Amino acid sequence: MATAAEVPAEQAVHKHTISVLLENKFGALNRVAGMFSAKGYNLESITVGPTEDATVSRMTLVTKGDDAIIEQIIKQLNKLIDTLKVVDLTYESYMERELALIKVGTTPENRSEIMQIAEIFQGKIIDISHKTMTVEATGSGQKVDAIIKMLKPFHIKEIARTGRVALKREFVGEA
Amino acid sequence: MTQQTPSSPQRPMTGAEIFVRSLIAEHVDVVFGYPGGAVIGIYDALHDISDIKHILTRHEQGAVHAAEGYAKASGKCGVALVTSGPGATNTVTGIADAYMDSIPIVVFTGQVALKLIGNDAFQEADIVGITRPITKHNYLVRDVNELAATIKEAFYVATTGRPGPVLVDLPKDVMATKTIFSYPKTVKMRSYIPHAEGNQKQLDKAVALIAKAKRPVLYVGGGTILSNAAEELTAFARKTNIPVTTTLHGLGAFPETDELSMGMLGMHGTWYSNTAVNYCDLLIAVGARFDDRVTGKTDAFAPEAKKIHIDIDPSNISKNVKVDVPIVGDVKKVLQQLLPQVTALDTKDWRQTIRNWKEEHPLRYRNGKFIRMQHVISAVSEATKGNAVMVSDVGQHQMWMAQFFRYVHPRTHLTSGGLGTMGFSLPAAMGAAFARKDMPVISISGDGGFQMNLQELATIREHNVPVKIIILNNGYLGMVRQWQELFWRKRYSHVEMFGPDYVKLAEAYGIPGFRATTTDQVEDVVKQMLATDGPVLVEFKTVKEDNVYPMIPAGQTYHEIIDIPNDSSAPVNGEQESDLELVTIAKG
């Protein structure tokens, strides 16, 4: 087995965040997702939604691969007839957000502790019942991972989590 | 035909009428199709139209292969029209075939009415979903007001850039709805702008590499023919003195009568073309995609060579083999750009080396009393002098047709290369015959492939399509048998095959048929076939066991090349070893 250090840089597998602008047409998501499965590429998450222009959708993809695979993914995305623009954000400065809804089983004793954790992560309590509370968390994937980890000891009942959305930063350093 | 065209363009028309008028606007002269419930309105609109010839095939797969054959032989877009459900699903193999081989066709499928979609309606299939990964693009027309623009776009996408199949799904109610017809003159697609010209910086790098080359090879693929660049390629090779090898789909891009020609390369390519590629110091890939049947083990392919790659599809660049100078562009345009910038190279020694290789290792087969497929193909090549559109099926005869026919014109070699679709030849040849009246169209199949689409004999007879049909009958799925012999310990599992009496079959369809059973009949029967007007079927009963050589086993390197055995290890098919004659042919 080769250790990570022995793998040439271009063959090292990295996570990439790719932003795709597409014609907002019937089946666009299917075309992209279908291309990934047909070509056997990894697809960790895919989100799609409208943009400021109603005729255009933005898709944000998180995928993994070495340089050659990522190059092919970008070419194959460009090859789709409805694709307007593909940007690999990985080498740019970019903002990314994920959102998670985390339903936690509660007791009268641990409610305040859960609320504190939510507060530390700038999360919100958006639903409460006698036995549950639901926390809304947004942030980078890492941040969402972290709050989930912190809430784990409290018996997480359900999680709904989005994929990543991302945009390139205009001025490096500004939030 | 007084009522066939409306007097005023402002009269509202049904989607079906708009469809027909749009095809006329695209100068479609022949449509291969099959009616059914969902397209009955379209067929009604076609009924009175004399500008478009509709050919009723006997199976929808035949319609798509015919459209492919028409497109490949003519350079125009092929068109097929079928009904929904099973009509649509029967087109899938043909569409996948066209996708793999970059053939411009537009397939129109009927669909159930919009409000029934998703209802498991009678003859409903999600053909847009099914064909998404095997079309260049596809459409479901949801509004009759978008119909004309969608058809315009479909033809544009199919024929530009890297060509390919486009499917347009036509719901029955949309086709019955009326609107004013207006066919767009141009296509504007902000998301699809094919590259044409090569980048000047890349061209400069290529010119510099070419100027330094001592042992260059041009590796020419089907993209050269698709972009109608055979003339430019030939001029380029002759100006620079660079020897040429072609892929299966590149056959015909460069005349194989030219001294610079080395025939086909790859798994069953000539010994000398593969040898030249192995030792070359510059490989110029022109409209070729480094397919696994060409490269074998990719990191041992042309190991000493700098590589230039001209291709219209950026995703082909560095997909299989890393290249030094990629040039994205249309082959014709790029060669036109390169031509004035290159000068004659001194390749005299290199060409002499190749000439010696040709003499040492020509293409060979062992002929005897009974018929060899290679002999039949050589006889057709001699009799036509390369002036024939040759359409092969898939298997051993396909490789021999690539090897032993001497191609001199582009668009004279039609085959299913990428998908390897058995049953391609007969319907594709039929389609080609509608496009080409200047030379005979010859379909060559094995007995296995022929039996996959022989229903088109009826279509051929009905329209008296002048296809010369050759069946090379060895009673085996020969290529699979060859692999079983060489790599699976001669366990011939389910490859021996019964077939009908093909001459009687031809007669049953009203097509003249005859048969040759011994080698001495081959030349005469070929002449007789070519002299017969209209369709004709000839069965050659060939020896049962013979192998295609040379062969580089799948995934291996040039060094594992197997040439024809010189000893009695080759099958003799019941004849005496001493009676066999070694026949040799070298291209170029």
Side-chain angles (χ1 to χ4, degrees), chain B residues 25-68:
Chain B
E26 285 294 330
H27 308 290
V28 172
D29 55 1
V30 56
V31 172
F32 301 94
Y34 207 109
V39 286
I40 202 160
I42 295 176
Y43 272 84
D44 186 68
L46 266 177
H47 189 53
D48 298 325
I49 297 294
S50 59
D51 300 15
I52 300 173
K53 190 185 280 184
H54 177 275
I55 304 301
L56 175 67
T57 58
R58 294 303 183 269
H59 190 290
E60 290 89 351
Q61 186 184 352
V64 181
H65 289 326
E68 288 185 275

Side-chain angles (χ1 to χ4, degrees), chain B residues 290-304:
Chain B
F290 295 87
D291 171 72
D292 59 89
R293 284 293 184 268
V294 162
T295 61
K297 193 164 180 274
T298 47
D299 45 10
F301 179 69
E304 298 173 21

Side-chain angles (χ1 to χ4, degrees), chain B residues 161-162 192-198 311-314 328-331 333:
Chain B
R162 179 179 180 177
Y192 173 72
I193 303 148
H195 295 270
E197 291 189 0
D311 202 303
I312 195 148
D313 181 354
V328 175
D330 178 64
V331 167
K333 290 260 165 60

Side-chain angles (χ1 to χ4, degrees), chain A residues 23 25-27 30-31 38 53 55-56 71-72 75-76 79-84, chain B residues 132 136-138 140 142 153 157 162 189-192 313-315 317-319 322:
Chain A
E23 293 283 3
K25 281 187 186 161
F26 176 78
N30 207 315
R31 282 182 206 284
D53 177 347
T55 65
V56 175
E71 182 184 331
Q72 266 302 312
K75 284 175 174 175
Q76 294 293 340
K79 193 169 163 175
L80 296 172
I81 301 293
D82 284 338
T83 300
L84 291 160
Chain B
R132 206 169 272 141
K136 185 173 173 187
H137 200 52
N138 61 17
L140 170 67
R142 294 166 157 269
E153 213 173 282
V157 169
R162 179 179 180 177
M189 293 174 74
R190 57 181 178 176
S191 64
Y192 173 72
D313 181 354
S315 76
I317 305 276
S318 294
K319 181 174 73 178
K322 263 254 173 271

Side-chain angles (χ1 to χ4, degrees), chain B residues 34-36 39 59-61 63-64 81-92 95 107-110 123 125 127 167:
Chain B
Y34 207 109
V39 286
H59 190 290
E60 290 89 351
Q61 186 184 352
V64 181
L81 168 64
V82 302
T83 192
S84 64
T89 55
N90 276 344
T91 65
V92 166
I95 292 171
V107 177
F108 294 97
T109 50
Q123 294 198 326
I127 198 63
L167 182 138

Side-chain angles (χ1 to χ4, degrees), chain B residues 77 83 192 219 223 300 312 359 418 426 506 567 583:
Chain B
C77 192
T83 192
Y192 173 72
Y219 149 44
I312 195 148
E359 276 166 30
L426 187 68
D567 54 41
V583 182

